Short mmCIF file of all heavy atoms in Angstrom, two decimals:
data_model
loop_
_atom_site.label_atom_id
_atom_site.label_comp_id
_atom_site.label_asym_id
_atom_site.label_seq_id
_atom_site.Cartn_x
_atom_site.Cartn_y
_atom_site.Cartn_z
N MET D 284 0.84 -1.18 0.03
CA MET D 284 0.00 0.02 0.00
C MET D 284 0.85 1.21 -0.02
O MET D 284 1.94 1.21 0.53
CB MET D 284 -0.94 0.01 1.24
CG MET D 284 -1.76 -1.14 1.40
SD MET D 284 -3.09 -1.33 0.19
CE MET D 284 -4.32 -0.24 0.91
N ALA D 285 0.35 2.28 -0.60
CA ALA D 285 1.06 3.54 -0.59
C ALA D 285 0.05 4.68 -0.34
O ALA D 285 -1.08 4.59 -0.79
CB ALA D 285 1.81 3.81 -1.90
N ALA D 286 0.45 5.71 0.33
CA ALA D 286 -0.43 6.80 0.60
C ALA D 286 0.31 8.11 0.42
O ALA D 286 1.49 8.19 0.82
CB ALA D 286 -1.02 6.74 2.00
N PRO D 287 -0.31 9.13 -0.19
CA PRO D 287 0.40 10.39 -0.25
C PRO D 287 0.48 11.07 1.14
O PRO D 287 -0.52 10.92 1.92
CB PRO D 287 -0.50 11.24 -1.17
CG PRO D 287 -1.85 10.57 -1.15
CD PRO D 287 -1.60 9.16 -0.79
N VAL D 288 1.52 11.68 1.50
CA VAL D 288 1.73 12.35 2.77
C VAL D 288 2.19 13.77 2.50
O VAL D 288 2.87 14.12 1.54
CB VAL D 288 2.70 11.62 3.69
CG1 VAL D 288 2.15 10.21 4.08
CG2 VAL D 288 4.05 11.47 3.09
N THR D 289 1.80 14.69 3.47
CA THR D 289 2.27 15.98 3.53
C THR D 289 2.71 16.36 4.92
O THR D 289 2.13 15.82 5.84
CB THR D 289 1.24 17.02 2.98
OG1 THR D 289 0.08 16.94 3.89
CG2 THR D 289 0.80 16.76 1.56
N ASN D 290 3.64 17.24 5.04
CA ASN D 290 4.05 17.72 6.39
C ASN D 290 4.11 19.21 6.46
O ASN D 290 4.86 19.80 7.19
CB ASN D 290 5.38 17.08 6.76
CG ASN D 290 6.53 17.50 5.84
OD1 ASN D 290 6.28 18.17 4.82
ND2 ASN D 290 7.74 17.13 6.16
N GLU D 291 3.20 19.84 5.65
CA GLU D 291 3.16 21.34 5.70
C GLU D 291 2.31 21.73 6.87
O GLU D 291 1.09 21.54 6.92
CB GLU D 291 2.57 21.82 4.38
CG GLU D 291 3.32 21.50 3.18
CD GLU D 291 2.64 21.80 1.88
OE1 GLU D 291 1.52 22.32 1.99
OE2 GLU D 291 3.16 21.46 0.80
N GLY D 292 2.98 22.25 7.91
CA GLY D 292 2.27 22.60 9.17
C GLY D 292 2.10 21.37 10.04
O GLY D 292 2.81 21.23 11.05
N THR D 293 1.22 20.44 9.66
CA THR D 293 1.06 19.18 10.41
C THR D 293 1.09 18.07 9.43
O THR D 293 0.93 18.18 8.28
CB THR D 293 -0.33 19.18 11.18
OG1 THR D 293 -1.38 19.26 10.17
CG2 THR D 293 -0.42 20.33 12.15
N PHE D 294 1.36 16.92 9.95
CA PHE D 294 1.44 15.74 9.21
C PHE D 294 0.05 15.28 8.83
O PHE D 294 -0.87 15.19 9.67
CB PHE D 294 2.13 14.59 9.96
CG PHE D 294 2.16 13.29 9.18
CD1 PHE D 294 3.16 13.02 8.24
CD2 PHE D 294 1.24 12.34 9.42
CE1 PHE D 294 3.22 11.87 7.59
CE2 PHE D 294 1.30 11.15 8.73
CZ PHE D 294 2.26 10.92 7.80
N SER D 295 -0.14 14.88 7.58
CA SER D 295 -1.43 14.34 7.14
C SER D 295 -1.15 13.30 5.97
O SER D 295 -0.21 13.45 5.26
CB SER D 295 -2.44 15.41 6.64
OG SER D 295 -1.96 16.01 5.48
N SER D 296 -2.02 12.34 5.96
CA SER D 296 -1.91 11.34 4.89
C SER D 296 -3.17 11.12 4.19
O SER D 296 -4.26 11.33 4.71
CB SER D 296 -1.46 9.96 5.51
OG SER D 296 -2.44 9.50 6.35
N GLY D 297 -3.03 10.75 2.84
CA GLY D 297 -4.22 10.52 2.03
C GLY D 297 -4.68 9.10 2.12
O GLY D 297 -4.26 8.33 2.97
N THR D 298 -5.53 8.73 1.22
CA THR D 298 -6.08 7.38 1.17
C THR D 298 -5.05 6.38 0.63
O THR D 298 -4.51 6.59 -0.45
CB THR D 298 -7.34 7.33 0.28
OG1 THR D 298 -8.27 8.29 0.81
CG2 THR D 298 -8.03 5.95 0.35
N PRO D 299 -4.83 5.24 1.32
CA PRO D 299 -3.89 4.26 0.86
C PRO D 299 -4.44 3.59 -0.39
O PRO D 299 -5.60 3.32 -0.46
CB PRO D 299 -3.72 3.33 2.02
CG PRO D 299 -4.36 3.94 3.20
CD PRO D 299 -5.30 4.98 2.68
N VAL D 300 -3.50 3.24 -1.31
CA VAL D 300 -3.86 2.47 -2.53
C VAL D 300 -2.94 1.34 -2.65
O VAL D 300 -1.73 1.45 -2.34
CB VAL D 300 -3.90 3.36 -3.77
CG1 VAL D 300 -4.92 4.47 -3.70
CG2 VAL D 300 -2.50 4.01 -3.97
N PRO D 301 -3.41 0.16 -3.18
CA PRO D 301 -2.46 -0.96 -3.34
C PRO D 301 -1.47 -0.68 -4.43
O PRO D 301 -1.81 -0.10 -5.45
CB PRO D 301 -3.36 -2.14 -3.75
CG PRO D 301 -4.74 -1.56 -3.89
CD PRO D 301 -4.77 -0.14 -3.52
N LEU D 302 -0.21 -1.06 -4.20
CA LEU D 302 0.83 -0.98 -5.26
C LEU D 302 0.85 -2.14 -6.21
O LEU D 302 0.98 -1.95 -7.43
CB LEU D 302 2.21 -0.85 -4.58
CG LEU D 302 2.44 0.38 -3.74
CD1 LEU D 302 3.84 0.31 -3.05
CD2 LEU D 302 2.46 1.61 -4.67
N PHE D 303 0.72 -3.33 -5.68
CA PHE D 303 0.70 -4.53 -6.44
C PHE D 303 0.18 -5.66 -5.60
O PHE D 303 0.05 -5.56 -4.40
CB PHE D 303 2.15 -4.89 -6.97
CG PHE D 303 3.11 -4.93 -5.90
CD1 PHE D 303 3.36 -6.09 -5.09
CD2 PHE D 303 3.92 -3.77 -5.63
CE1 PHE D 303 4.32 -6.09 -4.19
CE2 PHE D 303 4.87 -3.80 -4.66
CZ PHE D 303 5.05 -4.92 -3.89
N GLN D 304 -0.16 -6.77 -6.31
CA GLN D 304 -0.64 -7.99 -5.55
C GLN D 304 0.45 -9.05 -5.68
O GLN D 304 1.12 -9.15 -6.73
CB GLN D 304 -1.93 -8.53 -6.18
CG GLN D 304 -3.13 -7.65 -6.00
CD GLN D 304 -4.38 -8.29 -6.53
OE1 GLN D 304 -4.36 -9.27 -7.24
NE2 GLN D 304 -5.50 -7.69 -6.17
N VAL D 305 0.60 -9.79 -4.56
CA VAL D 305 1.58 -10.84 -4.55
C VAL D 305 1.03 -11.99 -3.69
O VAL D 305 0.35 -11.76 -2.74
CB VAL D 305 2.92 -10.38 -4.03
CG1 VAL D 305 2.92 -10.02 -2.56
CG2 VAL D 305 4.01 -11.35 -4.37
N ARG D 306 1.32 -13.17 -4.16
CA ARG D 306 0.94 -14.37 -3.40
C ARG D 306 2.18 -14.77 -2.57
O ARG D 306 3.05 -15.49 -3.10
CB ARG D 306 0.52 -15.44 -4.34
CG ARG D 306 0.08 -16.70 -3.65
CD ARG D 306 -0.44 -17.76 -4.65
NE ARG D 306 -0.53 -19.05 -3.94
CZ ARG D 306 -0.34 -20.14 -4.58
NH1 ARG D 306 -0.15 -20.19 -5.90
NH2 ARG D 306 -0.43 -21.29 -3.94
N GLY D 307 2.23 -14.36 -1.34
CA GLY D 307 3.39 -14.70 -0.52
C GLY D 307 3.36 -16.15 -0.03
O GLY D 307 2.30 -16.80 -0.13
N ARG D 308 4.49 -16.65 0.30
CA ARG D 308 4.55 -18.03 0.82
C ARG D 308 3.97 -18.11 2.26
O ARG D 308 3.92 -17.06 2.95
CB ARG D 308 5.96 -18.51 0.83
CG ARG D 308 6.86 -17.72 1.72
CD ARG D 308 8.06 -18.44 2.05
NE ARG D 308 8.98 -17.59 2.86
CZ ARG D 308 8.89 -17.32 4.15
NH1 ARG D 308 7.85 -17.72 4.84
NH2 ARG D 308 9.74 -16.57 4.78
N ALA D 309 3.63 -19.33 2.68
CA ALA D 309 3.11 -19.47 4.03
C ALA D 309 4.26 -19.33 5.02
O ALA D 309 5.43 -19.63 4.74
CB ALA D 309 2.55 -20.87 4.18
N PRO D 310 3.98 -18.78 6.24
CA PRO D 310 5.02 -18.59 7.25
C PRO D 310 5.56 -19.98 7.69
O PRO D 310 4.83 -20.89 7.77
CB PRO D 310 4.32 -17.89 8.39
CG PRO D 310 2.94 -17.72 7.98
CD PRO D 310 2.71 -18.27 6.62
N VAL D 311 6.84 -19.98 7.99
CA VAL D 311 7.51 -21.23 8.48
C VAL D 311 7.33 -21.42 9.92
O VAL D 311 7.14 -22.54 10.38
CB VAL D 311 9.00 -21.22 8.03
CG1 VAL D 311 9.70 -22.41 8.58
CG2 VAL D 311 9.18 -21.03 6.57
N SER D 312 7.25 -20.34 10.69
CA SER D 312 7.07 -20.42 12.14
C SER D 312 6.29 -19.20 12.63
O SER D 312 6.08 -18.26 11.85
CB SER D 312 8.43 -20.51 12.89
OG SER D 312 9.14 -19.30 12.76
N SER D 313 5.99 -19.17 13.88
CA SER D 313 5.21 -18.04 14.42
C SER D 313 6.08 -16.74 14.44
O SER D 313 5.55 -15.66 14.53
CB SER D 313 4.77 -18.33 15.83
OG SER D 313 5.86 -18.55 16.72
N THR D 314 7.39 -16.87 14.38
CA THR D 314 8.24 -15.66 14.34
C THR D 314 8.63 -15.22 12.91
O THR D 314 9.30 -14.22 12.73
CB THR D 314 9.59 -15.88 15.15
OG1 THR D 314 10.22 -16.98 14.50
CG2 THR D 314 9.30 -16.19 16.58
N ASP D 315 8.11 -15.98 11.99
CA ASP D 315 8.38 -15.68 10.53
C ASP D 315 7.24 -14.76 10.07
O ASP D 315 6.34 -15.21 9.38
CB ASP D 315 8.40 -17.00 9.78
CG ASP D 315 8.79 -16.78 8.31
OD1 ASP D 315 9.34 -15.75 7.93
OD2 ASP D 315 8.47 -17.67 7.46
N THR D 316 7.32 -13.50 10.36
CA THR D 316 6.21 -12.56 10.11
C THR D 316 6.39 -11.73 8.85
O THR D 316 5.41 -11.26 8.29
CB THR D 316 6.02 -11.59 11.29
OG1 THR D 316 7.24 -10.91 11.55
CG2 THR D 316 5.58 -12.40 12.50
N PHE D 317 7.63 -11.59 8.33
CA PHE D 317 7.82 -10.77 7.17
C PHE D 317 8.20 -11.54 5.95
O PHE D 317 9.18 -12.31 6.00
CB PHE D 317 8.89 -9.68 7.44
CG PHE D 317 8.57 -8.71 8.52
CD1 PHE D 317 9.09 -8.89 9.76
CD2 PHE D 317 7.65 -7.72 8.33
CE1 PHE D 317 8.73 -8.00 10.81
CE2 PHE D 317 7.25 -6.87 9.40
CZ PHE D 317 7.80 -7.02 10.59
N ILE D 318 7.47 -11.43 4.86
CA ILE D 318 7.76 -12.16 3.64
C ILE D 318 8.30 -11.19 2.64
O ILE D 318 8.43 -11.49 1.44
CB ILE D 318 6.54 -12.91 3.07
CG1 ILE D 318 5.42 -11.96 2.78
CG2 ILE D 318 6.09 -13.99 4.02
CD1 ILE D 318 4.35 -12.56 1.90
N TYR D 319 8.66 -9.95 3.04
CA TYR D 319 9.18 -8.96 2.11
C TYR D 319 10.12 -8.03 2.80
O TYR D 319 10.24 -8.03 4.01
CB TYR D 319 8.00 -8.15 1.58
CG TYR D 319 7.33 -7.25 2.61
CD1 TYR D 319 7.80 -5.97 2.86
CD2 TYR D 319 6.33 -7.76 3.44
CE1 TYR D 319 7.27 -5.15 3.81
CE2 TYR D 319 5.80 -6.98 4.39
CZ TYR D 319 6.24 -5.65 4.67
OH TYR D 319 5.68 -4.89 5.59
N ASP D 320 10.87 -7.34 2.02
CA ASP D 320 11.81 -6.27 2.51
C ASP D 320 11.75 -5.17 1.45
O ASP D 320 11.43 -5.36 0.29
CB ASP D 320 13.18 -6.77 2.61
CG ASP D 320 14.02 -5.96 3.57
OD1 ASP D 320 13.51 -4.92 4.19
OD2 ASP D 320 15.23 -6.18 3.73
N VAL D 321 12.01 -3.94 1.91
CA VAL D 321 11.99 -2.76 1.10
C VAL D 321 13.39 -2.12 1.00
O VAL D 321 14.07 -2.06 2.01
CB VAL D 321 10.93 -1.73 1.66
CG1 VAL D 321 10.83 -0.55 0.76
CG2 VAL D 321 9.60 -2.39 1.87
N SER D 322 13.77 -1.66 -0.19
CA SER D 322 15.05 -0.96 -0.25
C SER D 322 15.05 0.35 0.49
O SER D 322 14.00 0.90 0.81
CB SER D 322 15.40 -0.71 -1.76
OG SER D 322 14.47 0.16 -2.37
N LYS D 323 16.25 0.88 0.75
CA LYS D 323 16.40 2.13 1.52
C LYS D 323 15.61 3.24 0.92
O LYS D 323 15.07 4.07 1.60
CB LYS D 323 17.82 2.49 1.73
CG LYS D 323 18.55 1.61 2.70
CD LYS D 323 19.98 2.08 2.92
CE LYS D 323 20.67 1.20 3.88
NZ LYS D 323 22.07 1.65 4.14
N ASP D 324 15.62 3.32 -0.43
CA ASP D 324 14.97 4.41 -1.08
C ASP D 324 13.48 4.21 -1.28
O ASP D 324 12.72 5.09 -1.72
CB ASP D 324 15.60 4.70 -2.46
CG ASP D 324 15.48 3.50 -3.47
OD1 ASP D 324 14.81 2.52 -3.15
OD2 ASP D 324 16.06 3.67 -4.54
N GLY D 325 13.01 2.97 -0.89
CA GLY D 325 11.52 2.66 -1.02
C GLY D 325 11.06 2.42 -2.41
O GLY D 325 9.85 2.34 -2.62
N GLU D 326 11.90 2.30 -3.37
CA GLU D 326 11.52 2.07 -4.75
C GLU D 326 11.53 0.60 -5.14
O GLU D 326 10.92 0.28 -6.22
CB GLU D 326 12.50 2.81 -5.68
CG GLU D 326 12.45 4.37 -5.49
CD GLU D 326 11.15 4.94 -5.92
OE1 GLU D 326 10.60 4.52 -6.95
OE2 GLU D 326 10.67 5.83 -5.26
N GLN D 327 12.17 -0.25 -4.44
CA GLN D 327 12.17 -1.68 -4.79
C GLN D 327 11.79 -2.58 -3.63
O GLN D 327 11.99 -2.23 -2.46
CB GLN D 327 13.61 -2.11 -5.25
CG GLN D 327 14.03 -1.29 -6.44
CD GLN D 327 15.48 -1.70 -6.85
OE1 GLN D 327 16.21 -2.26 -6.10
NE2 GLN D 327 15.84 -1.29 -8.08
N PHE D 328 11.13 -3.67 -3.99
CA PHE D 328 10.64 -4.63 -2.95
C PHE D 328 11.26 -6.02 -3.30
O PHE D 328 11.30 -6.36 -4.45
CB PHE D 328 9.13 -4.72 -2.99
CG PHE D 328 8.45 -3.52 -2.63
CD1 PHE D 328 8.25 -2.48 -3.51
CD2 PHE D 328 8.09 -3.25 -1.31
CE1 PHE D 328 7.59 -1.26 -3.14
CE2 PHE D 328 7.40 -2.07 -0.93
CZ PHE D 328 7.19 -1.11 -1.84
N LEU D 329 11.67 -6.71 -2.25
CA LEU D 329 12.09 -8.11 -2.39
C LEU D 329 11.01 -8.91 -1.65
O LEU D 329 10.77 -8.74 -0.48
CB LEU D 329 13.48 -8.25 -1.74
CG LEU D 329 14.01 -9.72 -1.73
CD1 LEU D 329 14.26 -10.20 -3.16
CD2 LEU D 329 15.26 -9.77 -0.91
N VAL D 330 10.40 -9.80 -2.46
CA VAL D 330 9.26 -10.58 -1.91
C VAL D 330 9.57 -12.02 -1.98
O VAL D 330 9.95 -12.55 -3.03
CB VAL D 330 7.96 -10.29 -2.70
CG1 VAL D 330 6.79 -11.15 -2.16
CG2 VAL D 330 7.64 -8.85 -2.63
N ASN D 331 9.48 -12.74 -0.88
CA ASN D 331 9.68 -14.16 -0.82
C ASN D 331 8.27 -14.81 -1.09
O ASN D 331 7.43 -14.81 -0.29
CB ASN D 331 10.16 -14.65 0.53
CG ASN D 331 10.58 -16.07 0.60
OD1 ASN D 331 10.40 -16.79 -0.34
ND2 ASN D 331 11.18 -16.47 1.71
N ARG D 332 8.11 -15.29 -2.31
CA ARG D 332 6.76 -15.75 -2.69
C ARG D 332 6.80 -17.23 -3.10
O ARG D 332 7.87 -17.75 -3.35
CB ARG D 332 6.14 -14.97 -3.85
CG ARG D 332 6.91 -15.10 -5.17
CD ARG D 332 6.26 -14.22 -6.20
NE ARG D 332 6.91 -14.41 -7.51
CZ ARG D 332 6.53 -15.20 -8.44
NH1 ARG D 332 5.40 -15.83 -8.29
NH2 ARG D 332 7.20 -15.35 -9.59
N TYR D 333 5.67 -17.87 -3.05
CA TYR D 333 5.59 -19.29 -3.45
C TYR D 333 5.65 -19.38 -4.95
O TYR D 333 4.93 -18.70 -5.66
CB TYR D 333 4.30 -19.85 -2.89
CG TYR D 333 4.05 -21.31 -3.36
CD1 TYR D 333 4.77 -22.32 -2.79
CD2 TYR D 333 3.16 -21.61 -4.34
CE1 TYR D 333 4.60 -23.63 -3.18
CE2 TYR D 333 2.94 -22.91 -4.74
CZ TYR D 333 3.69 -23.92 -4.15
OH TYR D 333 3.50 -25.19 -4.54
N LEU D 334 6.47 -20.26 -5.44
CA LEU D 334 6.55 -20.57 -6.88
C LEU D 334 6.40 -22.09 -7.05
O LEU D 334 7.27 -22.81 -6.57
CB LEU D 334 7.89 -20.06 -7.40
CG LEU D 334 8.09 -20.28 -8.90
CD1 LEU D 334 7.07 -19.46 -9.72
CD2 LEU D 334 9.50 -19.82 -9.31
N LYS D 335 5.37 -22.47 -7.65
CA LYS D 335 5.08 -23.89 -7.88
C LYS D 335 5.96 -24.37 -9.02
O LYS D 335 5.92 -23.88 -10.20
CB LYS D 335 3.59 -24.13 -8.24
CG LYS D 335 3.28 -25.56 -8.35
CD LYS D 335 1.78 -25.81 -8.54
CE LYS D 335 1.46 -27.28 -8.62
NZ LYS D 335 0.03 -27.49 -8.82
N PRO D 336 6.81 -25.40 -8.76
CA PRO D 336 7.69 -25.91 -9.83
C PRO D 336 6.87 -26.69 -10.88
O PRO D 336 5.79 -27.17 -10.61
CB PRO D 336 8.62 -26.86 -9.04
CG PRO D 336 7.91 -27.27 -7.84
CD PRO D 336 6.96 -26.10 -7.50
N ASP D 337 7.43 -26.81 -12.11
CA ASP D 337 6.78 -27.56 -13.16
C ASP D 337 6.63 -28.99 -12.75
O ASP D 337 5.65 -29.61 -12.99
CB ASP D 337 7.60 -27.50 -14.44
CG ASP D 337 7.62 -26.09 -15.04
OD1 ASP D 337 6.65 -25.33 -14.78
OD2 ASP D 337 8.57 -25.74 -15.77
N ARG D 338 7.66 -29.57 -12.09
CA ARG D 338 7.60 -30.91 -11.58
C ARG D 338 8.46 -30.93 -10.29
O ARG D 338 9.44 -30.22 -10.17
CB ARG D 338 8.07 -31.94 -12.51
CG ARG D 338 9.46 -31.77 -13.04
CD ARG D 338 9.73 -32.71 -14.18
NE ARG D 338 10.35 -31.95 -15.19
CZ ARG D 338 11.52 -32.26 -15.78
NH1 ARG D 338 12.12 -33.32 -15.46
NH2 ARG D 338 12.03 -31.44 -16.71
N PRO D 339 8.09 -31.76 -9.31
CA PRO D 339 8.82 -31.74 -8.08
C PRO D 339 10.23 -32.35 -8.25
O PRO D 339 10.42 -33.19 -9.15
CB PRO D 339 8.01 -32.67 -7.17
CG PRO D 339 6.81 -33.09 -7.97
CD PRO D 339 6.90 -32.51 -9.28
N SER D 340 11.14 -31.88 -7.53
CA SER D 340 12.53 -32.43 -7.53
C SER D 340 12.53 -33.82 -6.98
O SER D 340 11.75 -34.09 -6.02
CB SER D 340 13.47 -31.53 -6.74
OG SER D 340 13.50 -30.27 -7.21
N PRO D 341 13.37 -34.66 -7.48
CA PRO D 341 13.42 -35.99 -6.93
C PRO D 341 13.99 -36.00 -5.50
O PRO D 341 14.77 -35.12 -5.13
CB PRO D 341 14.40 -36.80 -7.87
CG PRO D 341 15.16 -35.71 -8.52
CD PRO D 341 14.33 -34.50 -8.54
N LEU D 342 13.63 -36.91 -4.67
CA LEU D 342 14.05 -37.06 -3.30
C LEU D 342 15.14 -38.16 -3.26
O LEU D 342 14.91 -39.27 -3.75
CB LEU D 342 12.92 -37.39 -2.36
CG LEU D 342 13.27 -37.66 -0.90
CD1 LEU D 342 13.80 -36.42 -0.33
CD2 LEU D 342 12.05 -38.12 -0.15
N THR D 343 16.33 -37.84 -2.77
CA THR D 343 17.42 -38.83 -2.70
C THR D 343 17.61 -39.11 -1.18
O THR D 343 17.78 -38.20 -0.35
CB THR D 343 18.70 -38.25 -3.26
OG1 THR D 343 18.45 -37.81 -4.58
CG2 THR D 343 19.81 -39.20 -3.20
N ILE D 344 17.53 -40.42 -0.86
CA ILE D 344 17.78 -40.92 0.48
C ILE D 344 19.01 -41.70 0.52
O ILE D 344 19.20 -42.63 -0.18
CB ILE D 344 16.57 -41.74 1.01
CG1 ILE D 344 15.31 -40.88 0.95
CG2 ILE D 344 16.85 -42.27 2.36
CD1 ILE D 344 14.03 -41.63 1.31
N VAL D 345 19.97 -41.28 1.41
CA VAL D 345 21.19 -42.01 1.51
C VAL D 345 21.22 -42.79 2.84
O VAL D 345 21.06 -42.20 3.91
CB VAL D 345 22.43 -41.06 1.53
CG1 VAL D 345 23.71 -41.76 1.67
CG2 VAL D 345 22.38 -40.23 0.18
N LEU D 346 21.38 -44.08 2.77
CA LEU D 346 21.44 -44.93 3.96
C LEU D 346 22.87 -45.35 4.24
O LEU D 346 23.65 -45.54 3.29
CB LEU D 346 20.57 -46.17 3.76
CG LEU D 346 19.12 -45.92 3.49
CD1 LEU D 346 18.39 -47.19 3.16
CD2 LEU D 346 18.45 -45.24 4.63
N ASN D 347 23.29 -45.36 5.49
CA ASN D 347 24.60 -45.77 5.90
C ASN D 347 25.69 -44.91 5.20
O ASN D 347 26.66 -45.46 4.70
CB ASN D 347 24.86 -47.26 5.61
CG ASN D 347 23.96 -48.13 6.42
OD1 ASN D 347 23.69 -47.78 7.56
ND2 ASN D 347 23.48 -49.23 5.85
N ALA D 348 25.49 -43.66 5.16
CA ALA D 348 26.42 -42.72 4.51
C ALA D 348 27.82 -42.77 5.09
O ALA D 348 28.80 -42.56 4.45
CB ALA D 348 25.87 -41.33 4.47
N THR D 349 27.84 -43.02 6.39
CA THR D 349 29.23 -43.02 7.13
C THR D 349 29.72 -44.40 7.27
O THR D 349 30.77 -44.56 7.90
CB THR D 349 29.10 -42.26 8.41
OG1 THR D 349 28.11 -43.01 9.23
CG2 THR D 349 28.69 -40.82 8.27
N ALA D 350 29.10 -45.43 6.72
CA ALA D 350 29.58 -46.83 6.94
C ALA D 350 30.97 -47.05 6.39
O ALA D 350 31.79 -47.69 7.12
CB ALA D 350 28.57 -47.83 6.24
N ASP D 351 31.33 -46.54 5.22
CA ASP D 351 32.70 -46.70 4.72
C ASP D 351 33.71 -45.92 5.50
O ASP D 351 34.90 -46.33 5.61
CB ASP D 351 32.72 -46.28 3.24
CG ASP D 351 32.08 -47.31 2.32
OD1 ASP D 351 31.95 -48.48 2.75
OD2 ASP D 351 31.63 -46.95 1.21
N ALA D 352 33.38 -44.78 6.02
CA ALA D 352 34.28 -43.93 6.78
C ALA D 352 34.66 -44.59 8.10
O ALA D 352 35.70 -44.38 8.66
CB ALA D 352 33.66 -42.60 7.01
N GLN D 353 33.80 -45.48 8.63
CA GLN D 353 34.06 -46.04 9.94
C GLN D 353 35.02 -47.28 9.91
O GLN D 353 35.48 -47.76 10.90
CB GLN D 353 32.77 -46.45 10.61
CG GLN D 353 31.88 -45.24 10.96
CD GLN D 353 30.54 -45.67 11.53
OE1 GLN D 353 30.20 -46.85 11.63
NE2 GLN D 353 29.76 -44.70 11.92
N LYS D 354 35.22 -47.76 8.66
CA LYS D 354 36.06 -49.00 8.51
C LYS D 354 37.54 -48.69 8.66
O LYS D 354 38.07 -47.74 8.42
CB LYS D 354 35.80 -49.68 7.14
CG LYS D 354 34.44 -50.28 7.14
CD LYS D 354 34.24 -50.95 5.75
CE LYS D 354 32.85 -51.59 5.73
NZ LYS D 354 32.65 -52.23 4.51
#
């Protein structure tokens, strides 16, 4: 959201308007509250969003990975 502001005499703000829509990812924990960050100049946003892959990555399971190292 963005709102016009003025500080001539006293501070006042106008009606907020949405800048863009984004589908953010689900929080990982209760302390994971921010899915975005803003640059110092306020002109750029970095958003951690959910991106559905074309196909899931394969899962590799390694059993007894340290068996050879113990010999």
Side-chain angles (χ1 to χ4, degrees):
M284 303 290 278
V288 295
T289 60
N290 62 353
E291 297 170 5
T293 61
F294 177 84
S295 66
S296 63
T298 305
V300 294
L302 293 174
F303 51 86
Q304 290 184 348
V305 69
R306 181 177 165 208
R308 63 158 175 76
V311 177
S312 70
S313 62
T314 59
D315 185 20
T316 55
F317 297 104
I318 60 166
Y319 67 92
D320 200 3
V321 184
S322 63
K323 287 183 180 182
D324 63 4
E326 296 293 321
Q327 296 177 346
F328 296 84
L329 177 65
V330 179
N331 189 352
R332 66 183 183 96
Y333 176 74
L334 182 62
K335 185 175 181 179
D337 292 336
R338 62 189 129 125
S340 301
L342 176 64
T343 303
I344 299 174
V345 179
L346 300 175
N347 296 323
T349 60
D351 286 337
Q353 293 174 358
K354 290 182 181 181

